[in-house]
């Protein structure tokens, strides 16, 4: 198969480079940079060290994104890591990735983002010092999940337009913050930048923690690889969209931090739970109590949309491979969207709203870097197993090798700091291995599973205008 011929997309090939940039920037910039980027300062001890860690985290994430560009342009199919692992390692690693992503990582991520959205969308309607009722936050988050899923079900173009529009709003918010920071610094408030590396507390332990804190807000640079099959010119546009989008995010994060350090003291930055709101209030007064939550809410809405959009494609691709129930491969005849896969993700996200997700956030981070590391390794494995594969974009082999080792180091660091949560994640992966061997490889209870699968497909097709998607012609 030529790398220039994307296949297996549930929708028509409609994504331009601009749409790609919107998905990359919209998927990465969520709530983190507007709320609590103070963990990096806490671990580094100084303004200069904190800014250096942010830059290093951005460059590290860009290196990872470049490796994904090679995978996406050489295998231009919808499904992201599921497709790459299937080609590089075989069905078991592909299944365990999809098992984790669809059942934990993606729905939990969407639920967390929508909770943050609801918290800040509803905050202006309450007294500044009043606690927002938890039930109100949960209901609004649930409504956001339902609405975003509806939009993604009825029109992929609406979803990408939301990504483009809310990415623009995020950039406006960041530009406004940077302008406030420049105004404040222009009044002579530059105390934090005097001797910026004084009081640095960097050692291996604090660097690892600070670096991990800085990496989390960059998560999302792989979203575009989930929908490569829907790009009009993936070989040309995927690398451009990823590189431009990543450089834009790095610049935005650096400028935001400079603005925060210009406006707020180090002690305030370390204590705040909503840094953008506090910075705006200090410069423009009570207007910041409205603008700050608005900017955070719109940023979260765009990030949640990107999460919903991407996750639906993974479930669809996995169902085509027979790794997930066949019903997830159903596509709407009129809207050409992975209808049931999107609904499935929405139900799981709604379920996560009902439980305490604090400890699961650590599981999310651990699993994310396990699979990132496997994807970097897949670049090298595919170079060996498929040397003649058309690679319109190719990175130096040292880059995926370095990223694989670095990802392993991050995974080991996570285990040493949070052993209980990480071993819980490993246990979940092992359950996935058992499920694979029992129900997929050896097809135990095949007749019962087949009956349930066929009945669910038939019922779904009667309820909605659905048809089974077609597997890739490779």
């Amino acid at each position: 198969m030529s790398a220039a011929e994307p296949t297996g997309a549930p929708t028509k090939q409609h994504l331009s480079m601009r749409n790609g940039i919107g998905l990359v920037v919209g998927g990465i910039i969520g709530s983190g940079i507007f709320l609590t980027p103070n963990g990096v300062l806490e671990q580094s001890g100084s303004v200069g060290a904190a800014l250096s860690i942010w830059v290093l985290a951005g460059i590290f994430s860009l290196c990872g994104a470049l490796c994904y560009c090679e995978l996406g342009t050489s295998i231009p199919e919808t499904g992201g890591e599921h497709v790459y692992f299937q080609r590089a390692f075989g069905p078991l690693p592909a299944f365990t990735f999809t098992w984790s992503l669809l059942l934990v990582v993606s729905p939990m991520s969407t639920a967390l983002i929508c909770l943050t959205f609801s918290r800040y969308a509803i905050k202006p309607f309450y007294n500044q010092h009043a606690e927002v009722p938890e039930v109100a936050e949960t209901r609004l988050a649930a409504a956001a999940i339902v609405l975003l899923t509806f939009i993604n079900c009825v029109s992929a173009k609406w979803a990408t337009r939301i990504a483009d529009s809310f990415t623009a709003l995020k950039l406006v918010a960041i530009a406004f913050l940077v302008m406030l920071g420049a105004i404040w610094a222009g009044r002579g408030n530059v105390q934090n930048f005097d001797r910026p590396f004084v009081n640095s507390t960097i050692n291996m332990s604090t660097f690892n923690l600070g670096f991990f804190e800085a990496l989390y807000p960059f998560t999302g640079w792989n979203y575009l690889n989930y929908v490569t099959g829907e790009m009009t010119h993936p070989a040309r546009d995927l690398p451009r969209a990823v590189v431009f989008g990543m450089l834009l995010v790095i610049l935005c994060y650096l400028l935001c931090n400079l603005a925060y350090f210009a406006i707020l003291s180090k002690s305030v930055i370390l204590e705040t739970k909503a840094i953008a709101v506090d910075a705006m209030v200090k410069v423009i007064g009570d207007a910041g109590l409205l603008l700050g939550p608005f900017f955070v809410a719109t940023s979260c809405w765009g990030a949640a949309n990107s999460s919903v959009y991407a996750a639906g494609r993974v479930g669809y691709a996995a169902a085509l491979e027979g790794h997930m129930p066949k019903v997830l491969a159903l596509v709407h005849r009129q809207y050409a969207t992975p209808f049931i896969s999107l609904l499935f993700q929405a139900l799981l996200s709604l379920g996560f709203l009902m439980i305490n997700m604090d400890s699961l956030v650590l599981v999310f981070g651990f699993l994310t870097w396990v699979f990132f590391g496997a994807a970097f390794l897949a670049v090298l494995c595919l170079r060996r197993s498929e040397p003649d594969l058309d690679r319109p974009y190719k990175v130096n082999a040292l880059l995926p090798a370095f990223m694989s080792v670095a990802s392993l180091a991050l995974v080991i660091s996570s285990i040493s700091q949070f052993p209980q949560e990480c071993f819980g994640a490993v246990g979940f992966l092992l359950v996935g291995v058992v499920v694979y061997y029992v129900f997929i490889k050896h097809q135990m209870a095949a007749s019962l599973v087949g009956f349930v699968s066929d009945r669910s497909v038939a019922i779904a097709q009667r309820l909605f205008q659905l048809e089974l998607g077609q597997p890739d012609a490779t």
Side-chain angles (χ1 to χ4, degrees):
M1 182 188 69
S2 169
E5 299 171 354
T7 62
T11 68
K12 299 175 183 177
Q13 294 161 20
H14 62 97
L15 295 176
S16 65
M17 187 179 77
R18 187 193 68 185
N19 298 141
I21 293 170
L23 283 172
V24 171
V25 177
I28 295 175
I29 301 178
S31 61
I33 194 62
F34 296 114
L35 297 180
T36 54
N38 45 15
V40 180
L41 178 61
E42 182 180 355
Q43 298 301 329
S44 60
S46 71
V47 172
L51 292 173
S52 299
I53 289 176
W54 277 103
V55 172
L56 287 174
I59 294 172
F60 184 82
S61 299
L62 176 59
C63 290
L66 293 176
C67 295
Y68 268 69
C69 285
E70 176 171 330
L71 291 169
T73 54
S74 56
I75 309 175
E77 302 170 13
T78 292
E81 290 95 339
H82 174 86
V83 178
Y84 311 147
F85 293 172
Q86 179 81 11
R87 292 279 286 266
F89 308 126
L92 177 58
F95 175 81
T96 54
F97 163 76
T98 306
W99 166 265
S100 303
L101 184 81
L102 293 186
L103 297 184
V104 175
V105 175
S106 181
M108 185 183 68
S109 176
T110 301
L112 285 170
I113 296 170
C114 287
L115 269 176
T116 306
F117 158 79
S118 66
R119 186 171 299 128
Y120 283 86
I122 205 171
K123 183 64 177 175
F125 298 97
Y126 286 81
N127 184 280
Q128 179 183 355
H129 303 291
E131 282 290 326
V132 177
E134 187 176 332
V135 65
E137 291 180 357
T138 303
R139 287 175 179 175
L140 184 56
I145 291 170
V146 171
L147 181 56
L148 282 170
T149 302
F150 171 77
I151 293 169
N152 276 269
C153 280
V154 300
S155 177
K157 285 190 175 181
W158 283 11
T160 53
R161 284 170 184 163
I162 286 175
D164 293 344
S165 302
F166 280 83
T167 296
L169 278 173
K170 294 179 189 187
L171 297 179
V172 168
I174 289 171
F176 184 71
L177 271 171
V178 172
M179 181 187 71
L180 293 182
I183 291 172
W184 202 252
R187 297 174 183 173
N189 299 291
V190 292
Q191 297 87 345
N192 280 339
F193 301 107
D194 292 336
R195 303 167 65 196
F197 288 93
V198 171
N199 298 322
S200 295
T201 58
I202 288 292
N203 55 48
M204 186 56 67
S205 176
T206 57
F207 176 81
N208 286 343
L209 287 171
F211 191 63
F212 209 82
E213 290 266 5
L215 283 176
Y216 179 74
F218 283 101
T219 303
W221 41 260
N222 57 327
Y223 279 172
L224 195 56
N225 286 70
Y226 294 135
V227 295
T228 308
E230 298 174 41
M231 299 189 75
T232 51
H233 302 289
R236 181 194 69 191
D237 291 343
L238 177 66
R240 293 179 181 180
V242 168
V243 171
F244 185 84
M246 284 299 303
L247 290 176
L248 185 58
V249 170
I250 294 170
L251 178 63
C252 287
Y253 282 7
L254 186 59
L255 291 176
C256 271
N257 276 282
L258 286 170
Y260 296 147
F261 286 128
I263 297 170
L264 302 172
S265 66
K266 285 175 60 176
S267 60
V268 172
I269 291 173
L270 289 172
E271 293 173 2
T272 184
K273 293 183 179 179
I275 192 169
V277 177
D278 289 346
M280 289 185 189
V281 168
K282 186 168 182 179
V283 180
I284 61 175
D286 288 345
L289 294 174
L290 292 175
L291 281 178
F294 172 76
F295 286 151
V296 175
T298 54
S299 183
C300 290
W301 182 266
N305 176 69
S306 295
S307 178
V308 170
Y309 188 96
R313 274 68 186 168
V314 179
Y316 166 85
L320 286 181
E321 295 283 350
H323 286 180
M324 284 289 154
K326 187 164 59 175
V327 70
L328 296 184
L330 289 172
V331 177
H332 199 281
R333 291 194 187 98
Q334 179 181 350
Y335 305 132
T337 55
F339 198 83
I340 300 299
S341 182
L342 288 165
L343 292 181
F344 176 68
Q345 284 294 290
L347 289 173
L348 289 177
S349 297
L350 291 171
F352 273 107
L353 289 179
M354 307 303 158
I355 64 175
N356 188 327
M357 291 181 282
D358 290 346
S359 61
L360 290 177
V361 172
L362 299 173
V363 174
F364 170 84
F366 174 78
L367 290 175
T368 295
W369 282 103
V370 166
F371 291 121
F372 278 165
F376 302 140
L377 188 61
V379 176
L380 299 174
C381 291
L382 286 169
R383 295 265 187 101
R384 184 178 180 85
S385 63
E386 300 187 41
D388 298 326
L389 182 66
D390 185 18
R391 293 177 171 85
Y393 181 87
K394 191 174 181 180
V395 296
N396 188 294
L398 291 175
L399 187 59
F402 166 75
M403 293 300 296
S404 298
V405 173
S407 298
L408 178 61
L410 287 169
V411 168
I412 293 173
S413 177
S414 296
I415 293 174
S416 66
Q417 293 165 35
F418 313 107
Q420 184 176 349
E421 291 81 0
C422 292
F423 285 125
V426 172
F428 180 75
L429 292 178
L430 292 177
V431 172
V433 172
V434 172
V435 170
Y436 171 79
Y437 276 106
V438 170
F439 293 105
I440 296 176
K441 185 174 179 64
H442 297 299
Q443 295 190 340
M444 297 181 185
S447 58
L448 175 61
V449 172
F451 173 77
V452 172
S453 177
D454 291 341
R455 289 295 297 168
S456 61
V457 169
I459 292 170
Q461 286 179 315
R462 279 201 297 268
L463 291 174
F464 311 103
Q465 299 178 39
L466 305 175
E467 60 186 6
L468 283 171
Q470 298 299 315
D472 301 332
T474 55

